[in-house]
Amino acid sequence: MKHSSTAIAQLLLEAGAVVLSPDRPFRFASGILSPIYCDNRLLLAQVSARRTITEAMCQQISDELLNTEVIAGTATAGVPWAAWVAHELSLPMAYVRSGAKKYGRGQQVEGGVQANQRVVVIEDLISTGGSSLDAVAGLRQINALVADCFAIFTYEMEESKQRFNAAGVRLMTLTNLSTLLDVAAQQNYIRAEHRSLISDWASDPAGWADRAGISAE
């Protein structure tokens, strides 16, 4: 069954995985204020939602990435999704830490990925793209072939687009900020005038609060 980008956006809103709050922005660990917060970890406890997400990922990977040999999740957020997708597609699964272990065999990649195997990296959320591209770099260090990253949702930050392009990695997502804002406005999750305010955040998150006249207090 095909799951449209619009349907996935609606699922995220209904599940509470994405919350929009332009009047009372969230503060990220970096200190940046944001009118949107995505926590796809909430989907792990919702059986129907996670089944839909897994089916949609499997469908798109089967349709567009026919030569995939290994599904690799980013630790920790991408690990459960990678496991479910790999199981459904009958493919080997691996996961990639943010860095190599300081003990034991000192590995960053777990799961026995071999040189020249075609690997798809699975992430739950794309913000700046840093964790996903760190995983790509770790896989490439062991000579795996990585050209694609797959995620549930992307904030569509300009920074992430530039970083994926520079790394030669195609980013594929089930849905994105633009689609989610369309759904949110149509279904009264936000007022119409807030759509452009939230969309503007993705172009320059660090400067958004000043541009929008929102206090850091």
Side-chain angles (χ1 to χ4, degrees):
M1 177 181 176
K2 292 270 188 178
H3 299 279
S4 69
S5 177
T6 297
I8 298 297
Q10 183 167 342
L11 180 153
L12 297 182
L13 288 165
E14 291 176 350
V18 175
V19 179
L20 303 168
S21 182
D23 292 325
R24 298 182 64 184
F26 303 95
R27 184 182 295 278
F28 287 173
S30 63
I32 290 174
L33 293 178
S34 170
I36 179 172
Y37 189 79
C38 179
D39 184 2
N40 286 330
R41 291 167 295 188
L42 294 175
L43 300 171
L44 302 179
Q46 302 185 35
V47 177
S48 178
R50 80 185 191 209
R51 182 177 294 121
T52 297
I53 295 294
T54 301
E55 288 175 353
M57 282 189 165
C58 289
Q59 184 65 61
Q60 197 162 344
I61 290 171
S62 296
D63 287 348
E64 301 191 38
L65 303 174
L66 300 178
N67 295 320
T68 299
E69 295 177 289
V70 180
I71 303 294
T74 58
T76 59
V79 171
W81 302 106
W84 289 321
V85 168
H87 176 76
E88 292 298 324
L89 296 179
S90 297
L91 288 172
M93 180 259 178
Y95 68 89
V96 189
R97 296 186 177 86
S98 58
K101 288 193 300 185
K102 304 299 184 183
Y103 54 90
R105 298 174 65 186
Q107 296 187 144
Q108 181 178 4
V109 180
E110 300 287 3
V113 178
Q114 303 298 312
N116 299 315
Q117 282 190 308
R118 292 179 290 273
V119 182
V120 173
V121 170
I122 301 289
E123 179 67 279
D124 74 332
L125 168 69
I126 302 296
S127 52
T128 64
S131 62
S132 303
L133 292 173
D134 284 346
V136 170
L139 287 159
R140 286 176 172 173
Q141 283 181 354
I142 60 172
N143 297 315
L145 305 178
V146 190
D148 300 284
C149 177
F150 204 106
I152 299 170
F153 181 73
T154 173
Y155 287 132
E156 295 184 297
M157 291 184 185
E158 289 301 319
E159 180 181 353
S160 68
K161 296 174 186 177
Q162 293 170 8
R163 293 179 73 171
F164 276 98
N165 286 337
V169 176
R170 177 174 60 160
L171 174 61
M172 303 169 66
T173 62
L174 294 183
T175 193
N176 53 52
L177 179 62
S178 299
T179 300
L180 185 131
L181 290 179
D182 286 341
V183 174
Q186 292 165 6
Q187 299 191 9
N188 298 317
Y189 283 91
I190 54 172
R191 298 196 302 273
E193 61 267 26
H194 281 156
R195 192 196 186 290
S196 60
L197 183 69
I198 298 171
S199 183
D200 178 61
W201 170 80
S203 66
D204 176 21
W208 175 78
D210 287 341
R211 292 196 308 276
I214 295 174
S215 172
E217 298 298 328

